Amino acid sequence: DLWRFDRSFWYLVGLCVTFYSVIFPFRSTFSIKYFQHAHGVTLQEAGALNGYVFLAAIVATPIFGLLADRAGHRAAFMAFGCFLLAAAFPILAYTDANLWVSTVLIGIAFSLIPAVIWPAAAYLVEPHRLGTAYGLMVMVQAIGLTAINVVAGALNDANGASAENPGGYTPMLWLFLVLSLFGFVFAFALRMRETSREGRG
C-alpha cells in the first residue's frame, strides 16, 4: 500500500518534508541564536521575533484555508508560500533589512502552506487509505526534521558560526534556501500534474 500512492501524493510528501525541514529547524532551533549573533538583537527581542511567526499563524492559517477553499489552486498557493520562504534567507544573509521583513515572509509561509498541504492529501488519496497517507507524511517529515537539524548544526560548527564570526551562519542559510526552492519545485510539479489529464484538477 505504501508504494501504490499516486505520484501527486509523493510530490505533496516532498513538499511537506522540505517545507517543515526549513520552518522548524530554523525557527525552533537556530533562529534565536542567529538573530543575536548576526543581527545584534537581545535574547528577548529574538524570542519575540520568533514567537510572532507562530502567533500570526493563529489568525492567518484559517483565513488562508478559507481562501484556498473558495479559490482552489492549492498547488499554486503552496508554490507561492515556498517562494516567500526562500526569499527570506538571502534577505537575512546579505542585507541589513529589518528582521521584521524576514519574519513577515516566514510568517505568511508558515500560515499559508499548512492551511493547504494537509487538506490537499484528502483530495489525492482514497478515503480508506487516508490515515496511512497522513502517517507516512508525518513519518517522512520527522525524518527530515531530524536530519536537517543535524546537518545545519554541523554546518555551523564547521564554519565557526558565532557572535565573533556571524558569517559562519551563511552556509546554514543557504541550506534552508535550497530546501525552500526544492519545496517550490515539488509544488510546481504537483500543479503541473494535477492540471494535466492524469490529475484531478
Side-chain angles (χ1 to χ4, degrees), residues 8 22 36-37 43 78 89 92 97 101 105 131 139 145 172 183:
S8 291
V22 174
Q36 290 178 270
H37 289 176
L43 175 61
M78 290 187 284
F89 295 104
L92 284 170
V101 175
L105 292 174
M139 182 192 76
L145 292 177
M172 175 191 73

Side-chain angles (χ1 to χ4, degrees), residues 99-119:
L99 288 175
W100 281 106
V101 175
S102 61
T103 296
V104 167
L105 292 174
I106 293 173
I108 293 172
F110 183 64
S111 301
L112 174 56
I113 293 178
V116 182
I117 195 170
W118 297 104

Side-chain angles (χ1 to χ4, degrees), residues 18-50:
T18 51
F19 170 74
Y20 282 104
S21 292
V22 174
I23 285 288
F24 287 130
F26 181 64
R27 296 308 298 206
S28 299
T29 307
F30 297 104
S31 64
I32 291 179
K33 185 175 285 189
Y34 169 73
F35 290 157
Q36 290 178 270
H37 289 176
H39 293 274
V41 302
T42 66
L43 175 61
Q44 290 78 11
E45 290 169 332
L49 284 163
N50 203 43

Side-chain angles (χ1 to χ4, degrees), residues 67-82:
L67 184 61
D69 285 343
R70 294 289 176 86
H73 303 290
R74 289 170 176 81
F77 276 117
M78 290 187 284
F80 178 64
C82 288

